[in-house]
Amino acid sequence: MTQENEQIKVLFLGDMVGRPGRSVVKHYLGDLFTSENKTYDFIIANVENASHGFGLTEKNHKELGEIGINCFTSGNHIWDKKDVYSYINNSDKLIRPWNYPKGTYGVGYRIFDVKNTKIAVLNFLGRTFMNPVDSPWEIIQNEIEQIKAQAPIVIVDFHAEATAEKICFGKFCSEYKISAVLGTHTHVQTADEKIINDYTAYITDAGFCGAHNSVIGMAYESSVKRLVTSIPERFDIDESPILELNAVEMSFDAVSGQAQSIKRIQYIKDMSEENK
Ligand SMILES: [Fe+2]
Ligand SMILES: [Fe+2]
């Protein structure tokens, strides 16, 4: 008789934008932890926009670490709050894109003990319509063997703009038996979740967590002013009370790391009553 391997359930939350993003994530996780039928073994969140839309303060880093998130991924905006330099090297949860030049503050991947297995979380920036960085393709080619030797489940947050680059990276990573490639950065959830090559859970973009009626988390008024005048305007966070959370949930074989499922989540929470 063959015995089925244990399944590991993972939740991945798209870019959290400002206080509305932090708030909807807190509500969602609070509801989850009080209901008995839905639990995750591991929760990852992209936090590059978590503090007023740009970067992550030490205060928010601490606060988000206390609500059940196990790993923070990031992206191009992670450097926007200058206090990141004072705590990133001491964080046991936060990673920054791996393909910044050698010597950059922080680390590009971390390995976590989860149940009886290990999960490696890797973060990369794309290079199409983005500022120049090292090749994520070469890092995968050169480093994946040592990562897989340490952790059967390998999850990549690919923080990138161009859909074709993201799809190619997903297919490329499936050739190296990476468990999941999850896109971030555009803040708009795509409807193309799938398992590539019967191995790698994939979505082009997981979406964002923030104000539902916003422009990717920012207020319409400040966003449209920039476009109409072509003059750089300050972006303001949309503080309106209807909130939205975008995420994916996945399950993996604890021994092989192979993805078994990926499902999109979109959760809307109207805070009008609670804010009164
Ligand atoms: Fe973002
Ligand atoms: Fe970004």
Side-chain angles (χ1 to χ4, degrees):
M1 200 176 97
T2 55
Q3 216 187 333
E4 284 215 353
N5 291 332
E6 197 174 6
Q7 267 199 358
I8 301 292
K9 285 192 79 178
V10 176
L11 177 71
F12 181 89
L13 298 155
D15 302 36
M16 207 186 294
V17 185
R19 191 171 20 174
R22 300 195 308 273
S23 167
V24 73
V25 168
K26 272 178 219 162
H27 275 278
Y28 186 73
L29 296 183
D31 289 351
L32 271 187
F33 295 147
T34 49
S35 75
E36 283 170 18
N37 57 352
K38 207 163 182 199
T39 52
Y40 296 102
D41 301 306
F42 195 71
I43 300 176
I44 308 168
N46 187 300
V47 295
E48 71 148 4
N49 310 108
S51 299
H52 209 79
F54 301 95
L56 181 71
T57 59
E58 187 167 13
K59 182 172 168 266
N60 291 154
H61 172 271
K62 184 169 180 289
E63 184 186 294
L64 292 171
E66 288 165 356
I67 62 166
I69 302 169
N70 304 103
C71 174
F72 303 136
T73 58
S74 64
N76 52 311
H77 282 299
I78 193 57
W79 313 111
D80 292 356
K81 293 282 181 290
K82 296 307 168 203
D83 69 343
V84 71
Y85 298 106
S86 67
Y87 73 80
I88 193 169
N89 286 342
N90 302 322
S91 171
D92 58 359
K93 290 190 171 69
L94 177 61
I95 59 174
R96 48 81 179 161
W98 195 349
N99 48 337
Y100 279 113
K102 283 199 177 65
T104 300
Y105 281 81
V107 296
Y109 75 92
R110 274 181 198 287
I111 294 173
F112 300 85
D113 287 306
V114 182
K115 286 185 163 174
N116 297 319
T117 187
K118 286 182 194 288
I119 299 182
V121 184
L122 287 49
N123 197 182
F124 293 102
L125 283 171
R127 300 197 296 176
T128 305
F129 311 128
M130 307 279 287
N131 288 334
V133 281
D134 294 344
S135 166
W137 314 86
E138 278 179 21
I139 297 176
I140 293 291
Q141 282 170 326
N142 297 333
E143 303 284 350
I144 199 60
E145 215 171 299
Q146 61 98 357
I147 299 283
K148 287 209 58 126
Q150 298 178 68
I153 301 173
V154 181
I155 299 174
V156 173
D157 175 339
F158 190 45
H159 196 79
E161 182 74 37
T163 51
E165 185 185 21
K166 288 162 120 170
I167 295 167
C168 276
F169 199 66
K171 287 181 180 286
F172 183 79
C173 287
S174 78
E175 292 168 5
Y176 291 88
K177 298 265 186 283
I178 286 175
S179 311
V181 175
L182 311 168
T184 56
H185 178 69
T186 74
H187 294 201
V188 177
Q189 189 176 69
T190 54
D192 63 339
E193 77 282 10
K194 66 181 84 163
I195 295 182
I196 300 175
N197 283 335
D198 197 27
Y199 203 93
T200 303
Y202 175 83
I203 189 164
T204 297
D205 208 294
F208 85 119
C209 303
H212 177 61
N213 291 315
S214 67
V215 179
I216 64 170
M218 300 298 164
Y220 166 69
E221 294 72 18
S222 63
S223 306
V224 77
K225 217 167 163 191
R226 262 184 175 236
L227 298 169
V228 171
T229 65
S230 298
I231 294 171
E233 288 279 342
R234 213 178 75 119
F235 278 124
D236 293 319
I237 293 282
D238 186 326
E239 300 277 1
S240 58
I242 302 174
L243 306 181
E244 172 177 340
L245 173 145
N246 289 284
V248 286
E249 63 172 40
M250 297 156 286
S251 60
F252 302 99
D253 183 297
V255 175
S256 69
Q258 183 176 20
Q260 293 167 334
S261 66
I262 176 165
K263 189 174 150 242
R264 272 183 290 132
I265 294 169
Q266 193 183 54
Y267 162 88
I268 308 279
K269 173 94 182 167
D270 187 347
M271 300 289 288
S272 317
E273 289 304 310
E274 305 193 28
N275 289 346
K276 272 180 192 161

